[in-house]
Amino acid sequence: GKDHLTGGTGVYLNGSFNTVNLGLADYTRTIDKYENSGEDAPQEPYGAWVQGHGEIETRLGKMDAYEALKKCYGALGTHNICCKAMSTITPPGLPWEYLMSQRGEFCPMTDLLDDELTPDTWVKKIAKDLLDRAPAEKPWFMQVGFLGPHPPFINTEKMKNSTNGIEYPPAFNCSQMTPARQQKQRQQYAGLIEHIDTMVGEVLDYVEERGELNNTIVVFTSDHGEMLGDFDIL
């Protein structure tokens, strides 16, 4: 989950400080999608994992994997090539709306990374690694926090193709986006959800391979959704 919801004061705290108090024996954490590529070199596990893949082939040619991540994701939704700024024309008077109306809510260019290097694929990998390290003779509890479909709504080519052409219900009471942009944003959101659905399925498949699925309680929940233009909130 989000580090700034884990206690203490302020935001952007390292949520791992609560692990001992919660009785968690093992963990791996990373930071928000908006913040994981803002430095010249990786500062957290996901970025380091991406960089470890070395040079990769992208639609812009060969480049270092972490450089491809930086180029598309940028820092806090800015300084990237994949997303465009999309601010409300007439803000509805919510203080957070100004902050959330930024780059990342609409990303017309596809990711330079493929599905195998996205943040949620990394989370799936970490979940399986944690299961491998769990003591076989003891019951276990595991919280798996997927980063998507949080902005930025960057789709891989595969995600884009999976929802391209599908028509979704339009935004309710929305004057801030054209109908065409509403559809594109919702397709991007759906593409991210489909990918997470696949990743959750792979984690559950792994639990089943361990012979533990019938003795495991699975709770699927989320901290929030996205407005996607409803009531003019982007």
Side-chain angles (χ1 to χ4, degrees), residues 64-108:
D64 175 82
Y66 183 69
E67 288 300 314
L69 175 68
K70 286 178 57 179
K71 190 176 287 291
C72 195
Y73 280 75
L76 290 174
T78 62
H79 308 298
N80 66 70
I81 67 169
C82 290
C83 302
K84 291 184 177 180
M86 186 170 66
S87 299
T88 52
I89 300 170
T90 307
L94 302 176
W96 276 97
E97 174 60 11
Y98 173 75
L99 295 177
M100 295 305 294
S101 296
Q102 57 186 335
R103 288 181 181 269
E105 303 289 341
F106 183 70
C107 304

Side-chain angles (χ1 to χ4, degrees), residues 39 75 178 225:
E39 304 293 337
T178 65

Side-chain angles (χ1 to χ4, degrees), residues 6 51 93 108 141 158 214:
T6 59
Q51 188 179 56
F141 165 85
K158 182 178 179 181
N214 291 335

Side-chain angles (χ1 to χ4, degrees), residues 162-181:
S162 71
T163 62
N164 193 33
I166 298 177
E167 186 171 345
Y168 294 93
F172 181 77
N173 195 23
C174 179
S175 62
Q176 309 290 331
M177 288 190 289
T178 65
R181 180 164 283 198

Side-chain angles (χ1 to χ4, degrees), residues 153-213:
F153 300 147
I154 298 174
N155 279 198
T156 64
E157 196 67 30
K158 182 178 179 181
M159 294 177 201
K160 174 186 174 183
N161 291 338
S162 71
T163 62
N164 193 33
I166 298 177
E167 186 171 345
Y168 294 93
F172 181 77
N173 195 23
C174 179
S175 62
Q176 309 290 331
M177 288 190 289
T178 65
R181 180 164 283 198
Q182 292 176 33
Q183 287 300 315
K184 183 56 63 178
Q185 186 190 55
R186 288 171 180 239
Q187 288 167 0
Q188 293 165 354
Y189 191 64
L192 291 169
I193 290 175
E194 284 192 358
H195 180 62
I196 292 174
D197 186 58
T198 300
M199 296 300 99
V200 171
E202 291 189 18
V203 173
L204 294 178
D205 287 346
Y206 200 61
V207 174
E208 186 173 29
E209 289 175 19
R210 291 165 54 92
E212 298 173 330
L213 186 60

Side-chain angles (χ1 to χ4, degrees), residues 103-114:
R103 288 181 181 269
E105 303 289 341
F106 183 70
C107 304
M109 292 187 66
T110 55
D111 206 333
L112 294 177
L113 306 175
D114 62 21

Side-chain angles (χ1 to χ4, degrees), residues 131-140 210 212 215:
L131 284 173
D132 287 340
R133 299 199 296 264
E137 70 281 2
K138 295 181 179 181
W140 51 266
R210 291 165 54 92
E212 298 173 330
N215 192 36

